């Protein structure tokens, strides 16, 4: 039997805030980081701190992720 933990990206996708004020939480488009108007990735450090705090004291045998989550999982595994 496996214990599974699910984390969602902590950021609401830009341009979605107004639309989502009336939507259910399940309908929100979330991200782990974004790009600014110059193409630079932003909120990466906040995301890393969020994941570290959310998983503190827990050991994992595997990490699965899709899209940004897959890249984030890979980066976390490679950096220890």
């Amino acid at each position: 039997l496996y214990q599974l933990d699910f984390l969602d990206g902590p950021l609401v996708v830009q341009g979605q805030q107004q639309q989502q004020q009336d939507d259910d939480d399940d309908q929100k488009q979330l991200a782990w980081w974004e790009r600014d108007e110059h193409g630079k990735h932003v909120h990466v450090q906040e995301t890393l701190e969020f994941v570290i705090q959310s998983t503190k004291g827990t050991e994992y045998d595997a990490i699965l992720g899709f899209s940004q989550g897959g890249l984030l999982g890979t980066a976390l595994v490679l950096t220890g």
Side-chain angles (χ1 to χ4, degrees), residues 9-52:
L11 304 173
V12 176
V13 174
Q14 291 270 332
Q16 297 292 316
Q17 287 92 348
Q18 184 65 34
Q19 172 189 344
Q20 291 173 355
Q21 287 179 354
D22 298 324
D23 291 347
D24 294 333
D25 285 341
D26 292 340
Q27 301 293 322
K28 289 183 180 179
Q29 293 181 353
L30 302 172
W32 292 102
W33 58 82
E34 298 176 304
R35 285 189 178 188
D36 65 13
E37 61 275 2
H38 305 290
K40 180 181 177 186
H41 289 110
V42 294
H43 306 297
V44 175
Q45 186 62 39
E46 294 91 333
T47 289
L48 292 173
E49 291 171 6
F50 169 77
V51 172
I52 290 167

